[in-house]
Amino acid sequence: MKALILSGGKGTRLRPLTYTGAKQLVPVANKPILWYGIEGIVAAGITDIAIIISPETGKEVQELTGNGEQFGAKITYILQEQPAGLAHAVKIAQPFLGDSPFIMYLGDNIIESQLGQFLDTFKQKQLDALILLRKVPNPRAFGVAKVDEQGKVLGLVEKPKVPPSDLALVGVYFFSQKIHNAIANIKPSARGELEITDAIQYLIDQQTLEEPEISVEARTLEGWWLDTGKKDDLLSANQIILDTRITTSVDGEIDSKSQIIGRVKIGKNTKLINCSVRGPVIIGDDCHLENCFIGPYSSIADNVTLIDVDIEHSVILQGAKIIEIHQRIVDSLLGRRAQLINAPQRPKALRFMIGDDSQIELT
């Protein structure tokens, strides 16, 4: 069993944060989104992994994630020159995949459920495709599946005006080698891409035509599913991960005027001077915080400087600086090495999404 993780794309929904970096490397609770998928795949016993990368961000993904040793895996990188669709990613990965069954995992997804239970079903039932679904309130924004009571997939529709169900495709798929023939028999969609939904639909159609032994089934996730492609989604993911996976650990230096309340993780060589921190919160290594209130659901990466700041429910990336912001900051994202300084007092809270290396002085 092998794994194929997709970490290409241009991350347009997270701009300006992703103008200079991969959306899959944006951190949730100070860990790149991509790494949650890798860890989940390895936990299911799959250690031979390929990651699809793009020309724009592939080098960064490769340098940060490495050869897989830190995860107990072996990682191969495959360049997709153009974002030509999910099925195209499988097509160019075929030399790596060979005849092996595999899991395909979209790198900007995080799920609560363990993958092992679905892998066991895929193997035991000898399926050709197993897709994961999640009930959503707005199925018209997703690929949607129609499924019978036994879990057999009857059809797939991409962003339908009249959805056949409220079951959205999560972005985690298990495939046998038969998916390669399906991809070879589909044509690009109206947007010029090879769609994985079309390839799965081809398999479904073959179930009742030439090869009735082909089997395509679905399972519905009971736990949460986080698609982190937009700012609010990423902040929600950050909140859920902090809520469920953060425990108290203080390795930094906390002065006598500072107060820590709740589950708070503070990294090495980080200094807090006259600060109040109310968890769940994670603060990275080598940070300097002075005269700050850090409220719940905040993630602060390494080498961040915060002085005279009141912040909560926000994500601050590596090397950023926020200084003398006399206004409460909420629901915000600040990119790597970005600087935000000198905001006067205003009655409303400050909300923003600022890209890497930006320097902004508020007046």
Side-chain angles (χ1 to χ4, degrees), residues 24-25 31-40 64-65 70-71 107:
Q24 295 86 0
L25 295 183
K31 182 191 297 184
I33 297 164
L34 174 66
W35 291 12
Y36 288 96
I38 296 173
E39 290 172 350
L64 186 63
T65 306
Q70 63 176 312
F71 306 102

Side-chain angles (χ1 to χ4, degrees), residues 249-252 254 260 264-268 270 272 277 283-285:
S249 172
V250 178
D251 294 326
I254 315 299
I260 306 295
V264 176
K265 184 175 182 179
I266 300 176
K268 297 177 181 178
T270 286
L272 270 63
V277 183
I283 303 172
D285 299 338

Side-chain angles (χ1 to χ4, degrees), residues 265-285:
K265 184 175 182 179
I266 300 176
K268 297 177 181 178
N269 301 317
T270 286
K271 293 184 178 181
L272 270 63
I273 301 171
N274 190 32
C275 293
S276 178
V277 183
R278 185 181 296 273
V281 164
I282 184 169
I283 303 172
D285 299 338

Side-chain angles (χ1 to χ4, degrees), residues 163-314:
S165 75
D166 60 354
L167 296 172
L169 277 74
V170 165
V172 180
Y173 314 81
F174 296 84
F175 293 121
S176 76
Q177 73 275 15
K178 290 183 181 179
I179 194 66
H180 300 300
N181 180 62
I183 292 171
N185 280 279
I186 63 172
K187 295 180 179 180
S189 64
R191 60 178 182 173
E193 298 186 1
L194 288 176
E195 309 286 359
I196 198 66
T197 49
D198 289 344
I200 299 169
Q201 185 64 53
Y202 180 89
L203 289 177
I204 294 169
D205 293 341
Q206 296 306 300
Q207 289 180 126
T208 56
L209 294 174
E210 300 170 7
E211 299 185 64
E213 73 276 9
I214 288 179
S215 52
V216 179
E217 293 191 7
R219 293 295 181 271
T220 302
L221 294 177
E222 298 300 329
W224 43 257
W225 161 46
L226 307 171
D227 177 0
T228 57
K230 297 180 182 179
K231 172 196 165 188
D232 290 345
D233 298 331
L234 191 142
L235 290 173
S236 294
N238 189 67
Q239 176 175 336
I240 289 174
I241 295 298
L242 288 176
D243 245 345
T244 58
R245 301 189 183 183
I246 292 298
T247 57
T248 298
S249 172
V250 178
D251 294 326
E253 181 181 331
I254 315 299
D255 79 345
S256 59
K257 295 182 180 180
S258 295
Q259 185 180 31
I260 306 295
I261 303 170
R263 291 180 292 108
V264 176
K265 184 175 182 179
I266 300 176
K268 297 177 181 178
N269 301 317
T270 286
K271 293 184 178 181
L272 270 63
I273 301 171
N274 190 32
C275 293
S276 178
V277 183
R278 185 181 296 273
V281 164
I282 184 169
I283 303 172
D285 299 338
D286 302 300
C287 296
H288 181 88
L289 281 68
E290 187 171 345
N291 302 328
C292 294
F293 171 78
I294 310 300
Y297 306 117
S298 298
S299 289
I300 299 167
D302 298 343
N303 297 295
V304 168
T305 299
L306 303 179
I307 298 176
D308 295 320
V309 173
D310 180 342
I311 188 170
E312 69 176 79
H313 198 253
S314 297

